[in-house]
Amino acid sequence: MIWVTWRQFRTQAIAGAIALGAAAVYLLLLGLNIRGDYDRSLAGCIATGCAPGLVSGFEDTYSTVVTLTDVALMTVPGLLGVFWGAPLISGELAAGTHRLAWHQSVTRTRWLTVKLLVVGLGAVALTGLLDLLMSWSASRYDTVEAARFSAPVFGARGIVPLSYAAFAFALGAAAGLLLRRPVAAMGLTLAVFAAVQFAVPTALRPNYLPPRTADIRLDTATLSHADGIVRNGSSLAIGGISLPDAWVLSSGHALDSAGQPPGAEKIDTCLMPGRFDGTIACLAGQDLHVTATYQPNTRYWPFQLIEAALYTAMTAALSGFCFFRIRRRTT
């Protein structure tokens, strides 16, 4: 069965090996460029504090390419589920070739077990190699950026990509067994995987552990890194509030030392159209703060483990469905 599975799967395996080789060359070159620039400009001052211009210049140079690469790698598990998992069983059911194995000495359970293990482990291994390559390539950038909880970085590093690949593959196999048509199974796999990948980071990940709260003083440094300052009636909203080594989930409106909104007069005095530096300086002198909810950076690996366990449980459930379906429903 292993040899037969390999013979049926070798075209996809060869295509995957070629894609892995091309990605390895790209990530190697990207990593060498990042490390070279880091060693030349930041290595000597990163421990004591580099000039803001050096840090922002380094981030601007590589932020777009690293983010796009992370997003591309996050699509790999889904593509493996679509092109490796979905046709795995549906192709044989549609062509009727499964009967040849079932009418000989191979049981349905053994037939399915070999297919899921051989091809599924291949999908996980391919994703794991890309994960390792990307982690090495972007390691210096990740050190400077310190944003491990951002959606592209979290989904393309650590152990969660392996669980994504296992889930996507099992999802494709289950869809193929249910629909029995490769094209329909591929479409269903893509739609469900995309929906899950959207729902988990937005609805579940922020609440894996109870978030903490903190009062953040709106000083010059905090306001300078904010995304925007917006007046909302008699209150003031500060966008993009950040904490060192933390994932800020939400932040409230600006409050004064008494815990009250600063008032329309103070807001009007400080808001200077076209003079952002003046606005920052004025607000920084008002002794304002915001209350933010956040997840500390020390929870990165616990969150990785929780999410990997979640996807592993869904993988086990889908695999169990496959065995139930093929033993009791498929003829």
Side-chain angles (χ1 to χ4, degrees):
M1 269 304 299
I2 295 178
W3 182 85
V4 172
T5 301
W6 161 249
R7 292 279 296 179
Q8 293 174 325
F9 177 67
R10 60 182 177 178
T11 301
Q12 294 98 312
I14 293 171
I18 294 173
L20 176 62
V25 172
Y26 167 76
L27 292 174
L28 176 63
L29 294 176
L30 175 62
L32 291 175
N33 287 335
I34 291 176
R35 286 166 179 262
D37 284 353
Y38 177 89
D39 291 341
R40 284 191 295 270
S41 59
L42 300 178
C45 63
I46 196 68
T48 57
C50 299
L54 290 176
V55 175
S56 61
F58 180 81
E59 292 175 338
D60 291 342
T61 300
Y62 293 106
S63 61
T64 300
V65 65
V66 171
T67 300
L68 290 178
T69 304
D70 283 333
V71 172
L73 292 181
M74 287 181 64
T75 67
V76 170
L79 294 176
L80 292 175
V82 169
F83 292 104
W84 287 17
L88 181 71
I89 300 173
S90 62
E92 292 215 45
L93 295 179
T97 54
H98 61 290
R99 298 189 181 93
L100 178 63
W102 291 1
H103 284 84
Q104 298 183 40
S105 61
V106 179
T107 64
R108 297 184 183 195
T109 301
R110 181 186 171 195
W111 178 83
L112 181 60
T113 300
V114 172
K115 284 184 170 293
L116 291 180
L117 285 179
V118 172
V119 186
L121 289 177
V124 172
L126 176 61
T127 305
L129 289 173
L130 290 173
D131 179 14
L132 289 174
L133 287 168
M134 185 60 194
S135 297
W136 174 85
S137 180
S139 59
R140 297 293 187 271
Y141 177 83
D142 291 343
T143 299
V144 175
E145 186 69 10
R148 294 196 296 176
F149 272 112
S150 68
V153 176
F154 190 91
R157 309 280 196 281
I159 60 176
V160 293
L162 306 180
S163 64
Y164 296 165
F167 166 72
F169 177 78
L171 175 63
L177 188 55
L178 182 65
L179 300 179
R180 304 170 68 98
R181 294 293 182 270
V183 175
M186 292 167 74
L188 179 62
T189 301
L190 182 61
V192 174
F193 183 77
V196 172
Q197 287 293 80
F198 174 79
V200 169
T202 55
L204 298 182
R205 188 182 298 162
N207 302 302
Y208 287 157
L209 294 172
R212 297 178 180 176
T213 60
D215 288 334
I216 304 175
R217 187 171 182 272
L218 296 179
D219 54 17
T220 302
T222 300
L223 291 169
S224 297
H225 290 88
D227 292 340
I229 301 173
V230 180
R231 177 176 179 177
N232 185 10
S234 59
S235 61
L236 194 66
I238 313 297
I241 292 294
S242 61
L243 278 172
D245 296 327
W247 174 24
V248 176
L249 304 177
S250 64
S251 59
H253 291 88
L255 303 173
D256 59 22
S257 57
Q260 300 297 322
E265 184 177 348
K266 288 184 178 181
I267 295 176
D268 291 338
T269 301
C270 287
L271 293 182
M272 307 174 189
R275 294 180 56 196
F276 191 62
D277 291 342
T279 298
I280 289 176
C282 180
L283 290 174
Q286 299 291 336
D287 193 21
L288 302 176
H289 70 275
V290 295
T291 300
T293 60
Y294 71 98
Q295 295 287 359
N297 200 41
T298 53
R299 292 180 174 177
Y300 173 78
W301 282 111
F303 272 44
Q304 284 267 324
L305 291 171
I306 292 171
E307 189 154 311
L310 172 65
Y311 276 86
T312 301
M314 292 191 290
T315 301
L318 289 169
S319 300
F321 168 79
C322 289
F323 282 103
F324 171 82
R325 182 84 180 181
I326 206 167
R327 294 180 64 183
R328 298 185 180 274
R329 301 292 181 88
T330 302
T331 59

